């Protein structure tokens, strides 16, 4: 596997702050550590990024001082979005050339956008999508512009935010170009624990009847999510996590007992707590004979410090998976994996799947998939926990 | 599998309370439900049980009004413990005969005993153990008496409490008699969640550096555990759960960073909360770049209502496993499973293993073992989560 | 003081359920207790109440089967609201006569209404208000109809919900009629603790910078509050509680450090938890030298069982205060207390004050006021805690 | 009042670390802040202190490298403790002279000691105590040596730790010398909130039946308290806080319902959390009609940053109170306050009282005492919250 120290990192940002100043603004790292890191970050400025104000919260406007195609931001220019695709493509090419890289991977870790409407004739096929971009259609989001540019450049694209970047036209485009995509939304904290605990309870025959999830955070992510449309994207991403768990146990969730969990999700922006995100979850479950079980979880963490290792993991794993090839027993032809890298779902809250397949949210299943693939590739027997050596005479 | 409705239940108790009165004393069920159940429980009295005061808390003395061999409780009688074994054996035989049963399974759900010392010549071999019982040796516990009686009757014996019932002599005796044993300590609540969460954190590369576990409860289990020696048994059982998790990740737990988690366990008896046990756990973990993650869990549940389904599961599963036989590829001889049923460890806090094998505490591994064994037995492919159908082109 | 056992209780409800069935529907009391109480409640049916659908949540419509003036609910009848006032007045008269009562007290413990707009010429003076009721003005709420009816009958009226029943016209009407009013919103749980803890922190020189308050409940109160306008009334009532605490300490809250606390309030309806309300509060405060203090409170309680004693206290205290009279040193004329009974604010979340006076939210100040008034009335020295007897030589 | 900036600070410590190194070892302040402060602290070394190993935890031994009278630590020297008193007296004199101070105040903020036995003839009277010190009696603690030295020098002495420094002989000595003493144990965190919340609940007619208090911390205070005898001192100090609250309400706590609260206190040393103390409290209370209320509090704070302002407050207040004098109405003679400054109890967990008087633990009462004394001294009416201006017509 790739050694993370061999990665060359660059990026786009609608804010032009140099990285040392951005680190200071973010107030995540200890001040003393900031001072040690600043000399290495000074002078690094992100490339101008794509900014369509309608897609992120209004409150982000004051940050947007580093924008490509700024004149056409007035949106007079009818093919502005296509120009943006070309700018990003050229950025990718230059970055690759400049550092003499073997492989580029693009990962969206920017603001949560609002959902894009899926409209027939607009973003439903790859052809329509490309046409819509050329016609500057208002329903094409910045993240989709990045995804399309990456696909056309043949580089993998990972979406770490909850919005539906991967409209059907994008997925089709990736399939056609045989490039890799993966998403959505980093699974760093509350949702990850929820997928573990809800699965655990249901597996144990304990029946959750309500889950209340409250969050507050004071970083820019939270500031953007304080806007209803962006929150909506996040809520959808967070809500799905228990769906397949409910489906997995039709003894606990049936017509008679009810087929759902009362599930509320709240995110509040409280500036005072900065990056120190607080997540509170309360699971209320039924036991036998009228009993109840209540589990309350209170989780405090520096959100960014949980997310950053996921970014590295996703990049290392994507690079690795992009190099795996296989052939069927009776064939001589080697293939790569299917475009949507569902093996990345261990790190992602709302896993993108191959159209027609069910989402697997259970964290342990996701992990076992990776573990067993790696074992297979190095020739180890897969892990089935049967351990007959200790169970038989 | 056995339908739980076909089970016939009977038992021993050092308290002679009829079951309707015991239900009332326990204050677990809603009063209205108690009133509905009382007619079915009235008149059922537990058989006299084995009571050696040294093994459980002094505060249990007032309950001990239903004791076998009560005269020899004065411990003058030199072979009293052997008489107790015979009483239990005869109880098992009568129960089987009376109800015309195919199979009897004995499960210890009584008080936590203090640990027995393992002494050369006393309980280290099956032969020495039998001799020690005959000589009324003080280090033979009531639960060991029950285990030995069950083994000699050829019936499986499950230990739902934390003490070391299964001294080496008991394990050897079960091996010799080819009967089944399983233990120790029901995994109903806090420890179960801990095994899930600690595994989750370590798997995610988050490094727990301390875990503080506080419990309080007001039922008779808690009353008995308020005595130091009995608490000690419980503490050992609860403490082990993170050991193999630490061992599983030598990147996070190594010479340089430290190989252990600061782990404290507290159980307090607070009569006021009755059976409504409160468990609080706090996980404090290190993130990258000096960050920390703190997860606090507060869990309230009716302890008995969590434990009861485990009892049913353990009995159903033990009965099932006792009927599984296998033969090796190049042999015609069928065998049963090895005496220690490690497949039961999903329900047990401190899994008893085959001598020489490591304990597996990770709940998901334990579950996968059962799932895959059952799939194997019905001819389904084992579950490896590879799901190539959705990952390949 | 009045012995609560001497109270005769009756009431209005838009639902016609008899009290035994209402008790069952509410699922607050233990089933066994319900069965004991049912015979005493059977056959008691609330009087038809005033229902203007615009003021409470749409989801309450299905309950509204016991409504006065039901024909005019179509709101064709132009003086419908005045008829409602007269119906309530006549109910009060009949109740008093029927039971031969000395005193009647009316207390609103019904659903939270939306806020009424304060409109010049409509509800700004007593005269305009009475005219608006006669003209069936849409901005007159049911609770205001009850308040006006009570005032005109000369009986005290207490508002236990958060809406602004007491529009300026009601206060003026009470002043003119020299009757008593008190409000608003029972202070039963989270807010009460908040007033205690926030005051404690600020008094200790610890500076709260954010307070996050999350609630969920599954009773009909919660169901009604799941509607945004009704929630708004509740939010205003809950929010005010820290305002005077902030104002009380201008060293901690000044121009430089900031004059406010980031304060978010969330109420969610989760049917599963029924009357067992969960309130979570998180106080994040600054200490000296860059330190922080975080207090998280998790509170579970049967909401109705906290509120009921407040109702009794409020009634007993109102009856008592209505009998207190005083004269000034140099006068012979005795007066009753001023119409707005601010001494009731100990039990109320958003205390109504005499126009022009500041709200006192600090619970201890509210309590000391009552304690010292009572001491004064029985001739004891007021409680000043100086205790010179132990401090001097 | 004294401006805290005018204070000159010096001290004794059994560890000889210079203050900049001690700050680093303590890991309380942010590293960046440490670097800013270090130049001001460098070179400041505490004076050698009194160390009798029997009184603090064995684990403190490795720190004890800065000890007065080190030769006599072998305890051969029969009047060693008297020499220690003289050393401390001479330290105080030199400190006063060197800085030309008006007033010296000595405050114990060192380790928690074990309790001293109160023995007739040893520490029961001032005379016996002085004699015992001269005879090097083993039951005389270091903190008592400091107290006696301070009293003999005529300077106030405040005890910020829980042990019983103030044996009867010390109190008598202070009375005789008319010097001031105050104690015991800083009320910085959990206990302070407990005194507020327990009082609040009982005042509200809600009846706590159990309180479980769990703490863990990883600083040296916690390390010392991990030793049972020292923990015992702390436990006594923490336990008392609800006693007078129970006594204050004999309707809730009577013969029939029970006169006590099940109250458990646990302190664990978990090195990993350093100075970031975690305190969890759970209040379980009875409501009417069989209901219950459960309040769980989780409090995280830098313990030292909560305690430091208390030290300043105590010193400023003690200095102030030492200057207040009064005379009785019919006398011309002015007196100072009585030796035991009970007005300091607002900051102290286990307030020392005048012999024969009850402890007042309620925080609000303690605060009102200070507030009203100050108002009295500046000629303001005392605060009784009667506010007739808003309550009368």
């Amino acid at each position: 596997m790739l050694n993370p120290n061999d990665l060359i990192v660059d990026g786009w940002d609608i804010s032009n702050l140099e990285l040392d100043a951005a680190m200071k603004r973010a107030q995540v790292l200890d001040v003393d550590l900031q001072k040690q890191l600043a000399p290495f970050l000074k002078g690094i400025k992100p490339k101008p990024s794509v900014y369509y104000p309608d897609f992120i919260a209004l409150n982000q406007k004051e940050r947007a001082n580093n924008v490509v195609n700024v004149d056409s931001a007035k949106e007079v220019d009818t093919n502005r979005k296509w120009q943006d695709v070309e700018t990003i493509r050229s950025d990718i090419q230059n970055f690759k050339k400049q550092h003499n890289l073997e492989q580029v991977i693009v990962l969206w870790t920017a603001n949560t956008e609002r959902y894009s409407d899926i409209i027939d004739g607009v973003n439903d096929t790859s052809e329509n999508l490309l046409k819509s971009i050329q016609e500057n259609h208002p329903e094409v989001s910045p993240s989709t512009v990045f995804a399309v540019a990456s696909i056309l450049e043949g580089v993998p694209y990972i979406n770490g935010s909850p919005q539906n970047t991967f409209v059907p036209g994008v997925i089709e485009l990736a399939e056609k170009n045989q490039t890799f995509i993966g998403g959505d939304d980093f699974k760093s904290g509350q949702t990850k624990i929820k997928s573990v605990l809800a699965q655990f309870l249901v597996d144990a025959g304990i029946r959750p009847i309500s889950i209340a999830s409250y969050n507050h955070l004071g970083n820019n992510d939270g500031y953007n999510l304080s806007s209803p449309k962006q929150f909506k994207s996040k809520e959808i991403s967070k809500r799905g996590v228990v769906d397949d768990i409910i489906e997995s146990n039709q003894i606990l969730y049936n017509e008679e007992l009810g087929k759902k969990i009362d599930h509320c999700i709240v995110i509040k922006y409280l500036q005072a707590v900065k990056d120190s995100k607080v997540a509170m979850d309360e699971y209320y479950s039924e036991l036998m004979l009228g009993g109840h079980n209540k589990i309350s979880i209170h989780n405090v963490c520096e959100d960014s410090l949980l997310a950053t290792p996921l970014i590295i993991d996703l990049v290392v794993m994507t690079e690795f998976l992009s190099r795996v090839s296989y052939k069927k027993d009776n064939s001589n032809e080697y293939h790569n994996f299917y475009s949507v890298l569902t093996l990345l779902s261990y790190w992602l809250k709302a896993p993108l799947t191959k159209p027609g397949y069910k989402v697997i949210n259970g964290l342990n299943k996701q992990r076992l998939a990776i573990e067993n693939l790696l074992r297979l590739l190095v020739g180890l027997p897969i892990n089935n926990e049967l351990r007959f050596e200790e169970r038989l005479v």
Side-chain angles (χ1 to χ4, degrees), chain A residues 113-308:
Chain A
E113 298 173 341
R114 69 161 175 87
Y115 257 53
S116 300
D117 293 335
I118 310 299
I119 305 171
D120 282 359
V122 171
N123 45 21
D124 53 343
T125 67
S126 60
E127 205 173 339
N128 288 337
L129 177 63
L130 293 177
K131 190 162 146 282
S132 298
I133 300 177
Q134 275 154 346
E135 290 170 356
N136 205 21
H137 192 285
E139 216 49 39
V140 175
S141 69
S143 68
T144 294
V145 163
F146 274 92
V148 167
S150 301
I151 293 167
L152 295 179
E153 283 303 306
V155 309
Y157 182 84
I158 313 295
N159 174 31
S161 287
Q163 72 279 337
N164 63 342
T165 300
F166 298 122
V167 295
V170 172
I171 298 178
E172 198 189 273
L173 190 67
E175 286 171 347
K176 280 189 183 162
N177 285 263
Q178 295 186 29
T179 64
F180 298 111
I181 57 176
D184 300 318
D185 207 6
F186 298 144
K187 181 160 61 181
S188 58
Q190 189 184 38
T191 303
K192 202 169 194 167
I193 294 183
K194 193 184 286 178
S195 71
V196 171
L197 265 186
Q199 185 76 64
F200 152 70
L201 289 169
V202 168
D203 282 356
I206 298 170
R207 182 171 178 266
I209 50 175
S210 73
I211 304 177
S213 294
Y214 305 113
N215 297 264
H216 53 263
L217 73 174
N219 60 16
N220 190 49
D221 182 23
Y223 195 37
N224 180 55
L225 289 174
S226 66
S227 165
K229 279 185 188 165
Q230 283 66 35
F231 168 68
K232 196 71 201 165
S233 299
K234 196 77 186 176
E235 193 188 17
I236 291 172
S237 164
K238 277 176 161 276
R239 184 175 291 283
V241 77
V242 299
D243 291 348
D244 68 318
I245 294 169
I246 291 174
E247 250 176 60
S248 76
N249 192 323
Q250 299 181 8
I251 297 170
L252 291 185
Y253 295 95
N254 57 26
E255 292 295 345
E256 196 189 344
L257 293 170
K259 292 179 113 165
K260 67 175 204 49
I261 297 174
D262 251 359
H263 189 184
C264 82
I265 292 161
V266 172
I267 302 177
K268 288 285 168 182
Y269 175 65
L270 286 184
Q271 198 183 0
V273 303
K274 296 176 193 161
D275 194 54
S276 195
K277 182 167 152 184
V278 175
M280 294 153 138
D281 282 279
E282 179 144 312
Y283 301 77
Y284 189 59
S285 305
E286 285 181 350
L287 303 179
M288 66 186 294
L289 295 177
H292 286 96
N293 181 32
K294 190 193 287 279
I295 299 177
S296 308
I297 299 194
H298 185 273
N299 186 358
V300 186
C301 59
E302 283 93 353
D303 206 27
S304 308
L305 299 182
L306 277 180
T308 306

